[in-house]
Amino acid sequence: MPSNTTAPPAKKKKGRRARLIVLVLVLALVAGVGYGGYWGVSTVRGSFPQTTGTIRLDALTGPVEVKRDANGVPQIYADNEADLFRAQGYVQAQDRFYEMDVRRHTTAGRLSEMFGKSQVDTDAFLRTLGWRKVAQEEYDKVLSAETKKNLQAYSEGVNAYLKDRDPADVSVEYAALAFTGDYTIEPWTPVDSVAWLKAMAWDLRGNMQDEIDRSLMTSRLKPQQIKDLYPGYPYDLHQPIVDRGAVDKVTGKFDPEAQPKGDDTTSGGTGTSGGQNGIQSQLAALSDALDEIPALLGPNGNGIGSNSWVVSGNFTTSGKPLLANDPHLAPMLPSLWYQMGLHCRSVSANCRYDVAGYTFSGMPGVIIGHNNSIAWGFTNLGADVTDLYLEKIGTDGYVVDGKTKPFVTRDEVIKVAGGDDRPITIRSTEHGPLVSDRSTELERVGQTAPVGNAAPDRGTGYGVSLRWTALQPGKSMDAVFALNRAKDFAGFRAAAKDFEVPSQNLIYADTAGNIGYQAPGKIPVRTKGAAYDGTLPAPGWDSSYDWKGYIPYAELPYEYNPKRGYIVTANQSVIDEKKYPYLLTRDWGYGSRSQRINDLIESKLKDGGKISPDDMQSLQMDNRSEIATLLNPLLLKIDISDPQVREAQKLLEGWDYTQEPDSAAAAYFNAVWRNVLKLAFGNKLPKELRVEGECINVRVADTTGPVDEQNKLVPECGERDPDTAQPDGGDRWYEVVRPLLKQEKSEWWNTPGDRLNAATETRDQLLAQAMKDARWELTAKLGKDVSTWSWGRLHQLTLKNQTLGTAGPGFVQSLLNRGPWNLGGGEAAVDATGWNAAGGYDVIWVPSMRMVVNVGDWDKSRWINLSGASGHAFDSHYTDQTEKWVKGELLDWSYGQAAVEATTRDTLKLEP
């Protein structure tokens, strides 16, 4: 239940509330609050989309109908493909253009043009990465003529909407921006659409943050301690996606039925690369820069992921496959997703699309969904597709194998709203852009870095460059359209071949009853052997650490109708690394969610049971805490003498480990878990990984001052953004703690104590201290009476407008944002309402949508979005799906023409 009701169910009340919100906004601005301007009711409503009647568009060649249901979800009908995508562009611009405009300024490194000098550093970093530059190269040199035609048609539709409209007529946010200076909306281009895939790839890029964090840990932790904090994937506990199969040595292709030979071992080892020590300053600054990049999909780290699974019709009540998907991304307003149907009135060789599902505003086609033959879903594969290289640099270039090579440079100018232009120079090595150039702290990087003997003379220092698959032109946009048209597994796999970045797990089902899985993506091959596995920055001066090509698509794992009858992907390992000849990554999700889904499906199928659509929907809301099954029995055995702490401990007695919003036990357990992590690990990490502003006393060995001041305790404050700080509490930390719970005197249980608490030396002493700390933390947050505690009061979701709702004046934020809602679920639960244990309990990623596809009986499918179709803050469809999303409810998903007609509320005709 929400702690603040924002969407009353009755239509009349909903309309009355919307009017009241508009009046509050107008009154606030009339009163001179904020910018001193004035938004009238006409300004607020003027940007709402026209959803009935007729609109004439010069770009069209034939009539188009846009049918919207009670939730404003559009289904588009056209006679040819160009008009279909023109209408998609027009309709998405009606509902979401401000969101689209911000995205394209982000991907092009042009946020300063909208929001001023505060965004200059972010723009400089984004320009250095060169997303827009690569997108332009893709459009010019790589994408098919057909894809370009679709992108151009989409752009024509967007621009038809923008024609003759002032910014304030497009969205109310522009009215606010107009108070700080003039702003002109530029026409949409095909490259604006392509560049969005780069942002998607960036947030799903894999282990780059882990690579940085491991390096930063070397300043405080021993090699074995770091290894403790990054345990191997628990194959004995959590099965991978593909549980059999191998690359056939004769055909050179992956065969799901083949048995791996004894020498089929993964390339790459667990060693470290030369020159690792002492680059903390560079990597800390890089980590700070990463925190400033807008997390368009969510905080990058172990927790961000997704669930998907598909069950064969042999094991379902319908006799046809069932497919579920819920990607876990950052909560945002409006939601990342936009639901839509794209229908050719008559499907033929000239008009091939009859597809519906979840789209990205600003991009044509459907990303996740189904057509009339197949359904598909995505989860993040998490392949290691980035490497950081420590570069030996000088005034003339950088060193490789003892020779100096010149930088590749380009000059760019950042335009700043209300300020002077900022010129920047971008330098790149053969590995990629020199990202360390984007920090003033790194102007003389590495001058004092104690690197190993493998490093060349330091000269003027070291820099850090980034190699990343997404910085090379690719065909992922081609793959989107091919997926939308695919009719069978062969067509599905052919489309997946071009889905190069980001690397995703793709699941599949079709009306013939088949199910399948494909691991696609451009994944590098590292051939340094045991010396390098991509887990730490590599020495750029040694060419033997370079990539040696990419895993051939034919050798990537896939499954087709596995005997077990179902496939689960939830960011776990794709295949046992001992049975596969290539290294995909060392940094998988650790499989807590995936194994829970596997176990629940197995239990349902036991003794001949069948799975229904309701079962699929219920499974999406499973909120059991896996770490509680390990830790809670030990907590109950602790002898607690303090009566108030004992009162809290009693909440855990008889708890079934579910994390419902009203659960006091879930609230207390999660607080205990947070404090266990802080005591055992968090306070021992270097400041670069701990939460910004949280300070601890550390002992500094200083032999230069007076004797009585040597080896003294000094305060040291954390520097990391709370959403990405460590320990984050994800299922990697479950695997860290699991073996330690059997080691009552592990060094990790040692804490120094302070003036209020005694030092701890054993597991039970630390657990007791964590229980005490959690009791008083929740007393401060929720009150002294434990009977009033609830997980939902701690674990809240607020949906924020992604610009003015996060950085605008307080009154503007309150008008554009919605919530909070009290949520159940939790970190690494199937209902993955993620929170960062180092930073607090607030929800920082969510199932951004949920769908259950009833394959073949499409109109019995169900779906839900996090917010709603509209990006307009006071439109009735701004957050009209959120209440149902919170409760785990799904909407009926109409697809066939008769079903769409039956649910249509508004029809808009677009005519030439």
Side-chain angles (χ1 to χ4, degrees):
M1 294 295 292
S3 54
N4 292 334
T5 302
T6 62
K11 189 174 182 180
K12 188 175 291 185
K13 289 183 180 180
K14 196 180 290 184
R16 183 182 302 132
R17 179 171 177 80
R19 287 194 295 274
L20 288 173
I21 290 173
V22 172
L23 289 174
V24 169
L25 175 64
V26 172
L27 288 173
L29 291 164
V30 167
V33 179
Y35 296 105
Y38 169 69
W39 291 340
V41 173
S42 61
T43 301
V44 173
R45 292 180 175 173
S47 59
F48 289 4
Q50 179 181 338
T51 58
T52 60
T54 300
I55 297 175
R56 298 196 178 276
L57 302 180
D58 293 340
L60 292 177
T61 62
V64 176
E65 285 185 309
V66 182
K67 299 178 180 294
R68 294 178 184 257
D69 65 12
N71 293 98
V73 175
Q75 304 282 342
I76 298 176
Y77 293 86
D79 292 322
N80 61 74
E81 293 175 3
D83 281 349
L84 192 64
F85 293 120
R86 288 182 185 113
Q88 183 180 14
Y90 187 90
V91 170
Q92 287 188 340
Q94 279 187 306
D95 279 331
R96 299 282 192 93
F97 185 77
Y98 177 74
E99 172 194 8
M100 293 163 59
D101 200 16
V102 172
R103 282 183 182 174
R104 70 165 164 179
H105 278 78
T106 300
T107 57
R110 296 175 56 198
L111 289 169
S112 300
E113 295 177 25
M114 297 185 78
F115 305 110
K117 63 182 182 181
S118 65
Q119 299 301 309
V120 168
D121 289 344
T122 297
D123 282 346
F125 194 88
L126 291 166
R127 297 281 187 100
T128 300
L129 293 178
W131 293 349
R132 172 75 186 202
K133 173 179 172 289
V134 179
Q136 186 71 58
E137 292 173 359
E138 287 185 357
Y139 185 79
D140 291 342
K141 302 175 182 178
V142 177
L143 296 179
S144 70
E146 180 179 324
T147 292
K148 291 180 183 180
K149 180 181 176 182
N150 294 342
L151 289 165
Q152 186 60 47
Y154 180 89
S155 297
E156 290 169 359
V158 174
N159 293 328
Y161 170 75
L162 294 175
K163 185 179 180 181
D164 299 328
R165 279 186 167 84
D166 291 328
D169 296 329
V170 174
S171 190
V172 73
E173 288 91 341
Y174 290 114
L177 289 172
F179 295 141
T180 62
D182 294 332
Y183 180 77
T184 301
I185 296 176
E186 297 176 357
W188 193 264
T189 74
V191 180
D192 293 332
S193 297
V194 178
W196 171 240
L197 283 173
K198 301 303 171 186
M200 179 182 174
W202 176 254
D203 282 344
L204 300 175
R205 63 192 178 273
N207 76 336
M208 182 174 167
Q209 191 65 59
D210 287 326
E211 192 173 331
I212 293 171
D213 288 355
R214 272 187 288 259
S215 295
L216 293 173
M217 286 179 185
T218 60
S219 70
R220 186 66 52 89
L221 301 179
K222 302 172 185 177
Q224 182 57 49
Q225 291 176 314
I226 297 173
K227 187 176 180 180
D228 289 347
L229 301 187
Y230 288 90
Y233 186 86
Y235 289 101
D236 57 332
L237 297 173
H238 301 156
Q239 69 190 66
I241 297 170
V242 177
D243 60 1
R244 59 187 300 162
V247 175
D248 188 288
K249 293 296 182 66
V250 177
T251 65
K253 297 180 179 180
F254 186 86
D255 181 352
E257 300 302 320
Q259 294 297 319
K261 303 296 189 294
D263 59 349
D264 281 351
T265 56
T266 183
S267 64
T270 58
T272 61
S273 58
Q276 284 307 315
N277 296 326
I279 61 171
Q280 278 69 31
S281 62
Q282 297 96 310
L283 295 174
L286 176 58
S287 184
D288 291 343
L290 296 179
D291 279 343
E292 297 302 317
I293 304 302
L296 298 173
L297 303 185
N300 185 269
N302 181 257
I304 188 170
S306 305
N307 300 323
S308 71
W309 62 94
V310 60
V311 182
S312 166
N314 295 329
F315 301 102
T316 66
T317 56
S318 66
K320 293 286 188 180
L322 295 173
L323 185 151
N325 197 186
D326 55 284
H328 306 155
L329 305 170
M332 58 186 69
L333 191 57
S335 165
L336 177 83
W337 301 106
Y338 184 92
Q339 296 150 290
M340 179 175 265
L342 300 172
H343 308 279
C344 291
R345 289 193 179 97
S346 178
V347 177
S348 66
N350 294 323
C351 195
R352 296 164 292 171
Y353 293 88
D354 188 12
V355 60
Y358 294 87
T359 71
F360 288 143
S361 300
M363 231 178 77
V366 170
I367 304 300
I368 293 173
H370 71 82
N371 58 32
N372 59 0
S373 299
I374 75 166
W376 68 93
F378 283 5
T379 63
N380 193 25
L381 191 150
D384 185 358
V385 296
T386 60
D387 276 341
L388 295 172
Y389 284 85
L390 183 63
E391 305 281 9
K392 169 66 178 67
I393 62 174
T395 55
D396 298 326
Y398 61 101
V399 174
V400 178
D401 296 336
K403 297 180 180 179
T404 299
K405 294 188 175 185
F407 294 111
V408 175
T409 63
R410 68 180 191 273
D411 295 323
E412 297 198 11
V413 176
I414 298 172
K415 296 184 180 299
V416 182
D420 297 331
D421 292 353
R422 303 285 185 88
I424 62 170
T425 297
I426 297 162
R427 301 189 295 174
S428 296
T429 72
E430 62 186 28
H431 301 118
L434 205 62
V435 290
S436 55
D437 277 355
R438 298 281 70 89
S439 170
T440 55
E441 182 182 339
L442 301 181
E443 289 177 354
R444 298 180 296 167
V445 294
Q447 289 190 1
T448 59
V451 295
N453 292 330
D457 293 338
R458 81 178 69 255
T460 56
Y462 294 100
V464 180
S465 64
L466 169 66
R467 187 162 191 186
W468 176 34
T469 54
L471 297 184
Q472 303 166 34
K475 297 181 178 181
S476 294
M477 197 72 239
D478 286 345
V480 171
F481 295 112
L483 272 176
N484 285 200
R485 300 189 306 264
K487 297 299 182 184
D488 52 28
F489 193 60
F492 169 79
R493 291 194 71 210
K497 182 178 181 180
D498 286 337
F499 206 95
E500 297 169 331
V501 292
S503 185
Q504 299 288 285
N505 296 306
L506 271 64
I507 60 167
Y508 167 93
D510 63 34
T511 53
N514 302 301
I515 65 172
Y517 162 82
Q518 177 66 55
K522 182 181 285 187
I523 303 172
V525 175
R526 300 170 178 88
T527 59
K528 185 61 180 177
Y532 183 54
D533 59 6
T535 58
L536 288 167
W541 53 83
D542 184 346
S543 63
S544 66
Y545 287 86
D546 289 349
W547 294 354
K548 308 300 181 183
Y550 303 93
I551 301 174
Y553 179 71
E555 298 184 43
L556 288 169
Y558 76 95
E559 282 194 313
Y560 188 58
N561 294 327
K563 292 179 181 179
R564 64 182 177 278
Y566 62 89
I567 303 168
V568 175
T569 84
N571 318 113
Q572 79 270 40
S573 175
V574 170
I575 189 169
D576 191 330
E577 64 183 34
K578 295 179 180 178
K579 301 177 181 179
Y580 189 66
Y582 298 105
L583 175 68
L584 297 175
T585 185
R586 296 282 185 206
D587 294 305
W588 300 109
Y590 279 73
S592 290
R593 281 182 288 110
S594 62
Q595 193 58 45
R596 176 65 173 166
I597 296 168
N598 275 300
D599 291 346
L600 289 172
I601 291 174
E602 282 288 346
S603 66
K604 190 67 181 179
L605 298 180
K606 188 177 181 181
D607 300 325
K610 301 279 188 178
I611 291 178
S612 70
D614 287 344
D615 294 328
M616 301 283 277
Q617 183 175 341
S618 296
L619 205 163
Q620 288 180 324
M621 296 302 294
D622 181 81
N623 59 27
R624 189 176 77 157
S625 168
E626 294 302 306
I627 187 59
T629 65
L630 292 175
L631 191 56
N632 198 63
L634 294 175
L635 297 176
L636 290 174
K637 294 178 180 179
I638 303 293
D639 185 13
I640 300 294
S641 58
D642 185 318
Q644 295 190 72
V645 180
R646 172 62 183 141
E647 183 182 32
Q649 184 188 34
K650 287 181 180 179
L651 295 173
L652 303 178
E653 296 176 357
W655 179 42
D656 63 359
Y657 311 137
T658 60
Q659 301 174 92
E660 297 294 335
D662 60 356
S663 171
Y668 183 56
F669 174 81
N670 283 316
V672 173
W673 171 236
R674 166 173 150 83
N675 281 279
V676 166
L677 292 171
K678 180 179 180 181
L679 291 169
F681 310 105
N683 291 346
K684 298 166 187 175
L685 297 176
K687 64 182 184 298
E688 293 88 356
L689 274 68
R690 302 198 315 269
V691 174
E692 181 179 7
E694 292 189 1
C695 305
I696 60 174
N697 289 324
V698 298
R699 195 168 298 281
V700 177
D702 180 7
T703 60
T704 62
V707 174
D708 59 349
E709 294 185 10
Q710 294 179 13
N711 203 31
K712 63 182 179 180
L713 287 172
V714 297
E716 180 189 78
C717 300
E719 299 177 352
R720 181 68 63 84
D721 179 270
D723 288 355
T724 57
Q726 292 294 333
D728 62 17
D731 63 356
R732 170 164 70 89
W733 294 96
Y734 297 4
E735 296 309 313
V736 170
V737 170
R738 185 190 303 275
L740 296 179
L741 292 178
K742 300 176 182 178
Q743 303 173 35
E744 295 189 24
K745 294 186 177 181
S746 166
E747 64 175 343
W748 289 109
W749 303 127
N750 295 339
T751 65
D754 54 35
R755 61 186 180 85
L756 297 177
N757 300 299
T760 66
E761 296 180 352
T762 68
R763 178 197 66 194
D764 289 354
Q765 288 174 349
L766 186 140
L767 295 182
Q769 184 62 52
M771 294 173 75
K772 176 183 175 183
D773 291 349
R775 175 29 158 146
W776 299 118
E777 181 187 3
L778 294 199
T779 297
K781 292 179 181 294
L782 302 178
K784 186 176 180 179
D785 184 355
V786 300
S787 68
T788 67
W789 290 0
S790 70
W791 176 224
R793 285 176 61 203
L794 276 180
H795 190 52
Q796 293 189 325
L797 167 68
T798 299
L799 294 179
K800 296 182 179 181
N801 175 288
Q802 288 302 288
T803 56
L804 299 179
T806 59
F811 85 95
V812 172
Q813 292 190 37
S814 66
L815 292 168
L816 297 181
N817 298 342
R818 298 292 182 269
W821 285 269
N822 298 340
L823 297 189
E827 180 62 44
V830 179
D831 182 19
T833 55
W835 56 287
N836 185 305
Y841 303 97
D842 286 343
V843 176
I844 60 173
W845 53 73
V846 293
S848 55
M849 63 79 157
R850 299 185 183 102
M851 73 176 192
V852 175
V853 182
N854 202 318
V855 177
D857 200 351
W858 304 115
D859 293 327
K860 291 184 180 179
S861 301
R862 305 169 187 171
W863 61 352
I864 199 75
N865 205 349
L866 174 63
S867 59
S870 180
H872 300 288
F874 307 105
D875 189 275
S876 61
H877 301 307
Y878 191 46
T879 55
D880 60 339
Q881 297 186 48
T882 307
E883 291 288 347
K884 290 183 180 296
W885 177 93
V886 169
K887 298 174 183 177
E889 299 174 7
L890 301 177
L891 300 170
D892 291 337
W893 180 353
S894 299
Y895 170 74
Q897 191 164 3
V900 170
E901 288 289 349
T903 56
T904 295
R905 295 291 181 89
D906 292 338
T907 299
L908 175 67
K909 295 182 178 180
L910 303 176
E911 296 185 352

